[in-house]
Amino acid sequence: MEHFLKPSDTLNTNRLKTLVISEVAIGATALIGLNQVWYADYPRSDFHFINDNAEWLQMDKAGHVFSAYHLGSFGANALKWSGSSRKSQLLYGSTLGLAFLTTVEVFDGYSANWGASLGDVIANVSGTALFVSQDLLWKEQRIVPKFSFHTTPYATARPTVLGSTLSEQILKDYNGQTYWLSANIYSFAKTSKIPKWLNIAIGYGAEGMITGNEEFVNTIFLPESKRYRQFYLSLDVDLTKIETKSHFVKTILTIFNTIKIPAPTFEIKGCGGSKLHLIYF
C-alpha cells in the first residue's frame, strides 16, 4: 500500500493509463447515474439559462466553489501520483472539477424544471482558479475551502426539499452548512515559531431558509423563521501539515482536510448581533 500510494518521481505510463481509464469510467458512471436519479423523471427542453443568483442566499454558489476546488485538487494530485509534469497537473488535473461540473450544468440547461446557471459557472471557475492561482503564485495551497455541517429544525419543516435523513440534509439543508476559507498562518510567516498546522478560518453560512427565494414562516414548526446571513471567525487545523512518513496516513489526512475542525468560533449575524460558540461545527 505504501509503495502504491507514493507519488512517482518520473512519468509512470501504467499509472497514467490506469488513472485516465478510472477517471473516465467513474465520471461517466456518475453522470449516467445522475441523469437517471435526478433528470430522467422530468421533461426535457431546449437549452436555456436561468438566473438563480438570489436563491438560498448564495449558499449553493459557495458549494460550487468548494466542489470545483477539491475536485481540481484531486485531479492535480492524481496526476502528481502518476509522475506527470506540474504543467499537466495544472492543465488537465486541476480542471477536472470544472469539466465535470460544467457537464452537470449542461444537463441542467436541457431540463425543463431547471436551467443552466451563469452564477454556477462563475462559481465553478472561481473554485478552479483558487487552486490554480495559489499553485502558480506560491507552489502550495495556503488557503483551502472547507465544509462543516450541523442539523437544523428547518429540514423538519420541508423534508422533501431539505432532506429527510442525515445524509440528505448534509447535501440539501443549506441552513446547516457552513463554507470556510481556511488559511495556514505559518505559510504566510515561515520565519515565525507558529505551529505549521495552525490555521485561521473565515466562514459563511445562512439560516431561516425553507424556500430558495421567499421568506417563509411555518406557523407549526418555525413561527419566528427569518432569513439571514452568518459570518464566522474561527481556528482550524491544516491536517496536511502534520508530519508523517506514511503515504497512507498522508492520503487520509488530505481527504479529511476538506472538513473544518470543530473549534471556538465567533459569529456575526446578518440580522444583527453576534455570538461566541465554545465549539462550532
Side-chain angles (χ1 to χ4, degrees):
M1 179 63 74
E2 285 294 319
H3 176 73
F4 175 78
L5 292 175
K6 181 181 179 181
S8 178
D9 295 329
T10 57
L11 181 62
N12 186 316
T13 54
N14 288 331
R15 284 190 175 189
L16 183 60
K17 289 178 182 177
T18 300
L19 178 63
V20 171
I21 293 172
S22 298
E23 288 185 348
V24 170
I26 293 172
T29 301
L31 290 173
I32 292 172
L34 180 65
N35 180 68
Q36 292 301 314
V37 172
W38 196 264
Y39 299 101
D41 294 333
Y42 298 98
R44 306 290 184 177
S45 69
D46 292 334
F47 185 83
H48 64 287
F49 282 92
I50 60 170
N51 183 355
D52 64 348
N53 294 332
E55 293 187 4
W56 303 112
L57 295 179
Q58 294 79 51
M59 285 296 294
D60 57 325
K61 303 298 181 280
H64 277 267
V65 172
F66 173 87
S67 299
Y69 175 94
H70 284 292
L71 284 172
S73 176
F74 168 80
N77 284 324
L79 282 179
K80 182 179 180 180
W81 169 78
S82 74
S84 297
S85 66
R86 181 167 169 265
K87 181 178 179 180
S88 295
Q89 293 171 33
L90 289 179
L91 282 177
Y92 307 114
S94 62
T95 56
L96 176 66
L98 181 60
F100 179 82
L101 293 172
T102 298
T103 304
V104 174
E105 210 61 44
V106 172
F107 281 13
D108 281 347
Y110 282 106
S111 174
N113 280 45
W114 291 279
S117 166
L118 184 58
D120 287 353
V121 173
I122 292 173
N124 296 337
V125 171
S126 298
T128 303
L130 179 61
F131 181 88
V132 173
S133 60
Q134 291 187 83
D135 192 279
L136 292 174
L137 183 61
W138 298 314
K139 295 184 173 61
E140 64 178 349
Q141 298 297 306
R142 298 183 178 183
I143 303 172
V144 177
K146 293 194 177 187
F147 174 84
S148 66
F149 177 82
H150 59 272
T151 57
T152 74
Y154 301 97
T156 306
R158 203 178 181 200
T160 55
V161 173
L162 303 180
S164 58
T165 65
L166 178 60
S167 59
E168 288 182 349
Q169 291 169 19
I170 291 174
L171 295 174
K172 295 181 177 182
D173 187 3
Y174 293 118
N175 301 281
Q177 298 176 0
T178 306
Y179 290 97
W180 305 83
L181 287 178
S182 183
N184 183 250
I185 302 174
Y186 179 82
S187 296
F188 291 97
K190 294 188 175 181
T191 59
S192 68
K193 295 183 179 180
I194 296 172
K196 293 182 180 180
W197 46 262
L198 183 61
N199 281 22
I200 187 168
I202 298 174
Y204 174 68
E207 195 165 317
M209 301 176 295
I210 300 178
T211 62
N213 289 308
E214 302 174 358
E215 290 204 15
F216 180 88
V217 178
N218 188 294
T219 57
I220 298 176
F221 296 102
L222 303 166
E224 298 179 358
S225 175
K226 182 178 181 180
R227 298 159 63 95
Y228 63 92
R229 305 175 193 275
Q230 299 158 307
F231 304 93
Y232 300 95
L233 180 64
S234 183
L235 297 175
D236 189 30
V237 174
D238 186 340
L239 297 178
T240 65
K241 294 294 192 294
I242 297 176
E243 295 184 5
T244 175
K245 294 182 179 179
S246 170
H247 292 286
F248 175 76
V249 174
K250 286 181 180 179
T251 301
I252 296 300
L253 291 175
T254 299
I255 293 172
F256 280 95
N257 202 49
T258 59
I259 301 174
K260 166 74 169 60
I261 299 297
T265 300
F266 181 69
E267 174 190 353
I268 299 176
K269 299 177 184 292
C271 61
S274 59
K275 182 178 181 180
L276 179 63
H277 302 265
L278 292 180
I279 293 293
Y280 179 84
F281 189 67

